[in-house]
Amino acid sequence: IRVQSPEGVKRITATKRETVATFLKKVAKEFGFRNNGFSVYTNRNRTGEITAAQNKSLNLLKIKHGDMLFLYPSSPAGSSSSSETMDTSVSQNSRPGGAPQVVEDEIDQYLIKQDGKIYRNRDQQLCRHGPLGKCVHCVPLEPFDEDYLNHLEPPVKHMSFHAYIRKLTGGADKGKFVALENISCKIKSGCEGHPPWPEGICTKCQPSAITLNRQKYRHVDNIMFENHTIADRFLDFWRKTGNQHLGYLYGRYTEHKDIPLGIRAEVAAIYEPPQIGTQNSLEILEDPKAEVVDEIAAKLGLRKVGWIFTDLVSEDTRKGTVRYSRNKDTYFLSAEECITAGNFQNQQPNICRLSPDGHFGSKFVTVVATGGPDNQVHFEGYQVSNQCMALVRDECLLPCRDAPELGYAKESSSEQYVPDVFYKDIDKFGNEITQLARPLPVEYLIIDITTTFPKDPVYTFSISQNPFPIENRDVLGETQDFHSLATYLSQNTSSIFLDIISDFHLLLFLVTNEVMPLRDSISLLLEAVRTKNEELAQTWKKSEQWATIEQLCSTVGVPLPGLQEYGAMGGSSHAVAAAMWPCQHCTFMNQPGTDHCEMCSLPRS
């Protein structure tokens, strides 16, 4: 049932047997009314009022599918009291007309407030006006101007997402009725005119066919690694084993000033989850520490912005070259990689005030470390389109076993209805034809993103010549334990404690180790690292937790510099730590005065 109000038109899903009272509750919820501060009529001239006191079904009132009803607030439209009957909890980021309340990312809130226009200087040859005048040759351009984007070096094929929003909201109505709808490939529920699928389906509940188009915008316009060390340490795994590897990118979203209203994903660290890698495959294992990693990253001012994987084959070990395998003659992303990227993007939706669902698309990026035209390692960035995200979310897309560059749209079965998926192609006569996506070239699903390194490196975390081992690299013999921690501390003798402790992988170890996890007592240290505050770091260093950590390191036989000097500052903490005893079977540190291990229950001796 369509309901028209001063805020716009909304559709309310209802059944024929539904009572008026139930229907009016749905209307109040959809339009954000807290109480009965509105009236609903069957006619625009406010006749034929529908009230809950009628106690009838919609069918008896002759209200049927597609009918239009008219809602008027109790107070006159435009008066101040009209707004008071509405839900006052709707924030500035909410869509007018009752869309869900959302809080967009900081970068989105910042770009919304920017002018975004492309200002041009006065053309000495074409402009015939004074210095204060403007003409078609020098008037500012809109951020979505395609001619300007195509003449950039290199040309930009996709406008930024916020430029696309400006295009939608730039008309006379200022985008009052703009809504970014998420594509759905599923049958709409609640249709009672026929038996459920596969016995029946109708045009009301059947999802629309999908014609794949090149997406005109992208949610992220640039990927930048803060420094080369981040990427080099990640590539070390492939250099040492020859096996492919995968990691999650942690960083932040910032403004990308090379493109109007652009967004950049800055990568500050790479977390490597449990996985099984071979020379030509990768399997991601379940990660019990995933939630903790996200929590620690958030306290450091970071978030998961993407994932990275290698596809490298050595060509000449003497020259250090790699094979150039991903190009226009093969593929840039395989169908299986597109499906994986789509799955990750669905897990990390982009909060959007213009979407009725509160989210639209994703800022999650994909980076491939592969061979380039010069046979050196290149980093290529991608996203998959919103259409691909919908196909993956609703389980409509499959990879082809023998052709990695081709996907396959599933066919409908008794368990699942799949809408038809088409794409447009050019036949041998030069005519545009529409093809069924069985199979489907995956280039219709891919959006490329430039991946760069800055001229002046940035360091969120400190860089050491003897860095702390990276997690989940046991296959290389690189383990995270108190022996490796003691070795790291003994090799890094900087007088600035913040420089020693500002290592992403070290901080994760301090929080996730099984002997003495510091999840509940490390917030002060994380705040010190985030704000680069040495005084805060020194305050945390004087805590009992760090004293215990140092004592645990001393039990593995690696002498720590400055331990005796620090013992004079926190002697009581060291006395407690010294009284603790390590279990010979499981290395768990037990409290003093106990005869059996608290972890494995075996005797102390």
Side-chain angles (χ1 to χ4, degrees), residues 142-251:
E142 294 292 344
F144 48 82
D145 189 278
E146 293 187 9
D147 189 58
Y148 171 81
L149 296 175
N150 290 332
H151 283 82
L152 289 176
E153 186 59 41
V156 177
K157 295 184 294 184
H158 307 274
M159 70 179 78
S160 67
F161 180 61
H162 279 270
Y164 177 70
I165 290 178
R166 294 290 173 92
K167 186 175 183 179
L168 295 179
T169 59
D173 61 355
K174 299 299 180 183
K176 180 179 178 181
F177 301 107
V178 170
L180 298 174
E181 299 280 353
N182 289 296
I183 300 170
S184 176
C185 304
K186 291 184 176 181
I187 296 176
K188 296 178 183 177
S189 59
C191 193
E192 296 185 349
H194 54 79
W197 176 264
E199 280 73 24
I201 194 171
C202 68
T203 54
K204 291 185 292 183
C205 61
Q206 179 182 7
S208 302
I210 299 174
T211 300
L212 299 175
N213 298 307
R214 182 175 71 87
Q215 192 163 290
K216 296 180 180 180
Y217 58 88
R218 55 188 176 189
H219 291 275
V220 174
D221 305 281
N222 178 261
I223 305 167
M224 186 183 77
F225 289 84
E226 286 189 345
N227 52 75
H228 284 277
T229 306
I230 299 172
D232 285 339
R233 291 196 68 191
F234 175 74
L235 292 176
D236 277 345
F237 185 92
W238 173 79
R239 294 188 182 112
K240 295 176 180 177
T241 65
N243 294 335
Q244 309 306 333
H245 207 51
L246 173 146
Y248 293 126
L249 307 175
Y250 281 86

Side-chain angles (χ1 to χ4, degrees), residues 312-338:
L312 296 166
V313 178
S314 180
E315 187 171 64
D316 191 329
T317 54
R318 293 173 299 177
K319 296 180 180 179
T321 56
V322 292
R323 187 177 302 168
Y324 176 42
S325 58
R326 293 180 181 242
N327 50 59
K328 60 182 179 63
D329 297 323
T330 55
Y331 58 89
F332 297 102
L333 281 183
S334 69
E336 201 163 11
E337 292 159 0
C338 286

Side-chain angles (χ1 to χ4, degrees), residues 43-73:
N43 301 310
R44 193 185 299 273
N45 59 0
R46 302 199 185 194
T47 59
E49 184 178 1
I50 301 172
T51 62
Q54 291 173 309
N55 196 23
K56 294 181 180 180
S57 67
L58 298 180
N59 193 30
L60 291 176
L61 293 177
K62 297 183 180 180
I63 297 175
K64 56 186 183 297
H65 173 74
D67 280 358
M68 173 82 80
L69 303 179
F70 302 92
L71 181 149
Y72 292 95

